[in-house]
Amino acid sequence: MDNKRIKRALISVYHKDGIGEIARKLNESGVEILSTGGTYDFLQKLSIPVIPVEDITSYPSILGGRVKTLHPKIFGGILGRRDVDSDLKSFSEYGIPEIDLVIVDLYPFEGTVASGASHEDIIEKIDIGGISLIRAAAKNYKDVVIIPCKEQYAKLSAILDERGAETSLEERLFFAAEAFNVSSHYDTAIFSYFNREQGMEVFKQSILNSRSLRYGENPHQSARFYGNDSKLPEQLHGKEISYNNLLDIEAAIELISDFTETTVAILKHNNACGCASRSNLADAWSAALACDPVSAYGGIIITNRPIDVATAKEMNTLFCEVIIAPEYEEGSLEILKEKKNRIILINKDDNRSHRKFRSLLGGVLVQDRDMAVETKESLSAVTNNAPAESQIDDLLFANKLVKHSKSNAIVLAKDKTLLASGIGQTSRVDALRQAIEKAHSFGFSTDGGVMASDAFFPFADCVEIADKAGIKSVIHPGGSIRDNDSIVYCNEHGLSMVTTGTRHFKH
């Protein structure tokens, strides 16, 4: 028979919230309760009949509480198979009580690490008995119910309300799966802590929280987000965030994080179609929008300054999917909320992981996040003409944008404004031609502008094309065996060029 009656339960939990109600229901159903340490004291104070584990094992809690339940009479009572004669004989021969329900809530290891506690305190929060009880009960799910964490109290409580102390095989299997989920996550957290120093080259990630997304990149693709919602930007308004929204939001946050001046960026499909830095937000917004008002439609707006009422009124005239800012001044939020589906977010402190993952070919690629941000001190002038101070500002501005553009990428900029970019091209020449054509199509003059490239120039063709379009200064990583070809061209035609020594491919 699949249904099993719970006659005896073992309860050993760290967090006591909710356990009193469960214990009362078990007691009312005639279930004998065994318990340990603090849980025993807690249940006794509630006047719930409870037997100390020591009465079963004839051993006290020892080693400062490190050993309480690790005893053959406890684990035999959990692991013993009720349909195996030799196991039943061992029950009788050694006086082992059958234990039909185990309720555990583990020491808060992750919380202790996150609190900044000492190494000694962290080690003491590695649960040994609890994790062993979980694994033992889950292994013997045919006969034993395992409640591995406080999050499962409600489901057990509902079962007790519905039919008393009786569970089905399906329910026990569900709890067993939950148990191994809890135990594997717990062990991964402990390993990750120890591996900070050891640096073993293995890939282990465990994320308990997830939520379903409407769909993936396209409606026929299902999708989920795995992660802690509390680390996402805080949503103040709008529809449910989609898979594509999340990709754009991350791209926008990555880009704006590199800017310290008042800056507005508008992104579409993870790439900036407008960006400008100014002394005030309203000017930055109008300049960013003018870069490409066509692509801005339905895009993502992000800024690194609080949005004021005047700027909010201007932004509200554009249909956009998402607006992200660190704050919204009084009155501005009400204006932006006029579009009921518009997603409005608060960008929190930078809590981006320093590692990035990508699944492919049945495996996982891991790399450090590209956190490099070039400064004036990073630049090496390689031409006879050195760039002027205003050109250096533009070069650094353009270099930040090209870093966050899909390769092959070229960015043209002037007066700390994106003129146009060529992105995702199979050749750098095509990317440059795309950028020039786009800039001109929106009425921008590229004369006196600067050019940034995410990688070196293998030939002098790009600087020649840029020169003919009026570009006066160039920034790129350098490193080609033919760098000198481009340098010679620049010297002969009066362009300035700087190298950074840092490539910014993005695929």
Side-chain angles (χ1 to χ4, degrees):
M1 183 177 177
D2 285 347
N3 281 16
K4 296 280 186 179
R5 179 84 184 163
I6 300 170
K7 299 181 290 295
R8 185 177 291 109
L10 170 61
I11 305 177
S12 180
V13 298
Y14 183 86
H15 293 100
K16 309 300 188 292
D17 295 348
I19 199 62
E21 179 187 358
I22 296 286
R24 277 202 180 91
K25 290 179 180 181
L26 290 170
N27 180 62
E28 290 167 0
S29 295
V31 178
E32 182 180 271
I33 300 174
L34 312 178
S35 194
T36 64
T39 308
Y40 171 81
D41 294 338
F42 177 80
L43 296 178
Q44 264 214 326
K45 288 177 182 176
L46 295 176
S47 300
I48 297 172
V50 58
I51 299 170
V53 164
E54 291 86 345
D55 286 3
I56 305 298
T57 63
S58 300
Y59 271 88
S61 172
I62 61 174
L63 304 181
R66 283 189 165 197
V67 179
K68 295 189 285 283
T69 57
L70 295 168
H71 191 280
K73 283 194 173 182
I74 299 301
F75 280 85
I78 296 168
L79 285 164
R81 293 158 292 185
R82 278 55 162 176
D83 58 354
V84 175
D85 289 342
S86 59
D87 287 6
L88 296 176
K89 182 179 178 182
S90 292
F91 281 152
S92 176
E93 184 176 354
Y94 299 108
I96 298 172
E98 294 182 11
I99 298 174
D100 313 299
L101 167 65
V102 176
I103 304 177
V104 175
D105 185 62
L106 298 169
Y107 292 164
F109 179 83
E110 287 181 283
T112 305
V113 173
S115 73
S118 68
H119 177 71
E120 290 73 19
D121 288 342
I122 289 170
I123 294 303
E124 287 308 310
K125 286 298 185 290
I126 298 176
D127 205 313
I128 302 301
I131 205 79
S132 301
L133 291 170
I134 287 174
R135 291 175 62 83
K139 177 175 181 176
N140 200 24
Y141 71 88
K142 286 174 62 178
D143 296 308
V144 180
V145 185
I146 174 62
I147 305 300
C149 58
K150 63 183 186 299
E151 287 74 18
Q152 295 301 326
Y153 290 176
K155 186 169 180 65
L156 175 62
S157 183
I159 291 171
L160 294 173
D161 288 341
E162 182 181 336
R163 58 179 181 276
E166 185 174 287
T167 63
S168 67
L169 179 62
E170 182 181 8
E171 289 164 342
R172 294 192 298 277
L173 182 58
F174 166 82
F175 285 125
E178 284 289 331
F180 286 118
N181 182 30
V182 168
S183 66
S184 64
H185 178 80
Y186 198 77
D187 284 340
T188 297
I190 295 169
F191 169 78
S192 296
Y193 174 74
F194 277 89
N195 203 40
R196 289 178 179 182
E197 298 295 329
Q198 303 305 317
M200 284 183 257
E201 296 299 334
V202 296
F203 182 81
K204 290 183 187 291
Q205 290 287 313
S206 179
I207 301 173
L208 293 178
N209 300 314
S210 73
R211 59 185 170 94
S212 177
L213 302 174
R214 295 198 305 273
Y215 50 80
E217 285 185 281
N218 301 291
H220 65 278
Q221 296 171 268
S222 62
R224 293 191 74 82
F225 171 73
Y226 292 88
N228 190 338
D229 280 359
S230 67
K231 292 193 174 183
L232 291 174
E234 180 183 353
Q235 184 168 0
L236 303 179
H237 180 73
K239 63 184 179 181
E240 179 187 347
I241 295 174
S242 71
Y243 181 99
N244 290 329
N245 288 154
L246 285 171
L247 292 176
D248 282 329
I249 289 165
E250 183 189 49
I253 291 173
E254 293 251 309
L255 187 152
I256 207 70
S257 297
D258 285 353
F259 288 87
T260 55
E261 290 185 80
T262 300
T263 301
V264 174
I266 306 170
L267 289 85
K268 199 75 170 286
H269 296 293
N270 309 159
N271 294 288
C273 59
C275 187
S277 295
R278 293 291 188 274
S279 59
N280 67 79
L281 188 64
D283 288 348
W285 161 250
S286 60
L289 179 60
C291 296
D292 183 353
V294 175
S295 295
Y297 182 86
I300 308 292
I301 300 170
I302 190 164
T303 180
N304 55 1
R305 295 292 187 272
I307 295 179
D308 54 67
V309 170
T311 307
K313 287 179 179 178
E314 294 300 318
M315 288 180 173
N316 198 41
T317 63
L318 176 73
F319 168 71
C320 60
E321 284 273 323
V322 182
I323 297 178
I324 312 170
E327 292 179 51
Y328 297 86
E329 293 183 3
E330 186 176 354
S332 63
L333 199 55
E334 287 68 26
I335 295 168
L336 297 174
K337 283 182 175 180
E338 290 176 6
K339 304 294 192 294
K340 68 175 183 178
N341 287 329
R342 177 184 286 152
I343 297 167
I344 302 175
L345 305 174
I346 291 180
N347 191 15
K348 301 178 182 178
D349 293 337
D350 189 354
N351 55 22
R352 294 172 295 160
S353 167
H354 286 259
R355 306 279 268 172
K356 296 199 75 170
F357 314 113
R358 178 181 290 186
S359 63
L360 80 174
L361 299 174
V364 178
L365 279 176
V366 182
Q367 68 170 346
D368 294 334
R369 187 179 295 276
D370 186 356
M371 307 290 281
V373 181
E374 285 68 52
T375 63
K376 183 177 179 180
E377 290 69 35
S378 309
L379 309 182
S380 298
V382 293
T383 49
N384 295 335
N385 286 344
E389 285 298 318
S390 61
Q391 288 178 319
I392 289 175
D393 289 342
D394 282 347
L395 290 168
L396 293 173
F397 174 90
N399 196 59
K400 290 172 183 176
L401 288 176
V402 84
K403 167 187 169 182
H404 295 285
S405 301
K406 187 173 178 62
S407 299
N408 287 309
I410 292 286
V411 164
L412 305 180
K414 185 164 64 175
D415 299 327
K416 289 187 275 191
T417 305
L418 172 64
L419 297 178
S421 56
I423 53 177
Q425 298 302 304
T426 52
S427 84
R428 205 156 299 281
V429 169
D430 286 345
L432 174 56
R433 286 177 172 150
Q434 181 189 58
I436 293 169
E437 181 181 347
K438 184 173 182 180
H440 292 166
S441 73
F442 283 106
F444 289 110
S445 170
T446 51
D447 191 44
V450 305
M451 173 174 71
S453 174
D454 60 341
F456 62 63
F457 299 110
F459 305 102
D461 46 8
C462 279
V463 291
E464 180 179 355
I465 295 168
D467 172 41
K468 291 176 179 177
I471 296 298
K472 297 302 181 186
S473 194
V474 179
I475 184 170
H476 71 119
S480 167
I481 59 172
R482 300 187 65 171
D483 272 353
N484 197 53
D485 292 1
S486 296
I487 295 170
V488 168
Y489 182 93
C490 288
N491 283 334
E492 289 176 350
H493 294 82
L495 279 71
S496 61
M497 175 184 282
V498 296
T499 59
T500 66
T502 304
R503 190 180 74 184
H504 289 296
F505 270 165
K506 183 182 179 185
H507 295 108

